Amino acid sequence: MVSRQQTEPGTAVHKDAEDAEGADNVKVVTKQRGRPRSFDRETALEKAILAFWEHGYEATSVSDLTRVMGIGAPSLYAAFGDKRSLFDEVVREYGAKYGSFGERALAEEPTARAAVERMLREAAAEYTDPGHPHGCLVIHAAINCTSPEVEESLRERRNASLAAFESRIKAGIAAGELSADTDAAALARHTGAIIQGMSQQARDGATKEELEALAELAMAIWPRP
């Protein structure tokens, strides 16, 4: 009896070729489904900061974030969690990298007046820096936000700044820099209002020089020793 392979000599070769082609396809698929391309987490986070800073929390979608960060949604969730978790990290990183000038001024200057004067001067420069969005992320990110948790989180940070101003002013009163009848709470709120106003005006196009002039006028009403 003659085998089928002998009567059809091309069949075995053809089958081997098909098997080889199938193996190649498996290899291609395996390569495509391999480990995702890695990314620089620090660079991706910086891009997220700029996106939230420019557009706010509500208007920045997950698709916006993945586009500017250069990663897919699965990578975003794996590295940063959901949008809210990413935003919380953005706010912390923003505070450390861009928003710490106020804390440094309060800690380093010898008087409350000098601290606030330096803080306003540096705010004028920081809020108008052409290298990033204008104004302050903490002040503007929750505008038109429908997430009460985000609004409350940013409000707490702003109120913490007011408390820090008031604490520094009270220390100045205790040291005799300011008169004993100085209203520390009102002076702290005045400082906060100026900072917030400078941020909004920077968003509206005010220049560094214009904000510096505003800061100078704001300091003119400070009580003298």
Side-chain angles (χ1 to χ4, degrees):
M1 181 176 181
V2 178
S3 69
R4 178 179 177 84
Q5 185 174 4
Q6 287 176 316
T7 57
E8 300 179 12
T11 303
V13 175
H14 181 63
K15 186 174 186 302
D16 289 343
E18 288 180 340
D19 291 343
E21 182 180 355
D24 288 341
N25 287 339
V26 171
K27 291 178 183 177
V28 171
V29 171
T30 301
K31 184 176 180 181
Q32 290 174 341
R33 294 179 180 175
R35 186 176 181 179
R37 180 168 57 88
S38 62
F39 65 94
D40 185 328
R41 191 181 191 280
E42 184 177 346
T43 299
L45 180 59
E46 175 67 13
K47 290 179 179 178
I49 291 173
L50 298 179
F52 281 123
W53 195 347
E54 178 67 29
H55 303 293
Y57 178 81
E58 193 70 28
T60 305
S61 67
V62 171
S63 61
D64 293 331
L65 292 167
T66 56
R67 185 179 67 255
V68 300
M69 295 167 77
I71 59 177
S75 295
L76 185 152
Y77 293 129
F80 300 102
D82 59 12
K83 175 182 170 181
R84 170 64 195 281
S85 298
L86 171 60
F87 182 71
D88 288 343
E89 184 170 351
V90 158
V91 172
R92 291 192 298 271
E93 182 68 13
Y94 168 86
K97 186 172 183 180
Y98 298 102
S100 60
F101 62 88
E103 293 178 10
R104 290 195 303 269
L106 294 175
E108 296 172 2
E109 292 301 316
T111 66
R113 180 186 179 88
V116 171
E117 187 172 16
R118 170 181 160 182
M119 180 172 58
L120 296 183
R121 185 175 64 251
E122 293 187 6
E126 185 65 46
Y127 291 169
T128 58
D129 188 329
H132 55 63
H134 288 178
C136 172
L137 181 150
V138 175
I139 293 173
H140 295 287
I143 292 176
N144 297 323
C145 180
T146 59
S147 171
E149 296 83 5
V150 171
E151 288 184 326
E152 180 60 24
S153 174
L154 295 179
R155 186 182 302 114
E156 288 176 357
R157 285 181 172 271
R158 293 191 296 270
N159 286 336
S161 293
L162 290 179
F165 301 160
E166 184 173 352
S167 177
R168 187 66 182 85
I169 292 167
K170 286 180 176 179
I173 294 171
E177 302 163 15
L178 299 166
S179 64
D181 61 352
T182 299
D183 188 335
L187 197 52
R189 285 203 172 273
H190 171 263
T191 301
I194 295 298
I195 284 279
Q196 292 175 16
M198 290 173 69
S199 178
Q200 182 59 57
Q201 290 194 21
R203 299 278 289 192
D204 290 341
T207 66
K208 174 186 174 183
E209 292 73 22
E210 289 170 334
L211 295 184
E212 287 175 337
L214 174 61
E216 185 176 349
L217 286 173
M219 294 308 301
I221 75 164
W222 262 64
R224 296 290 180 177

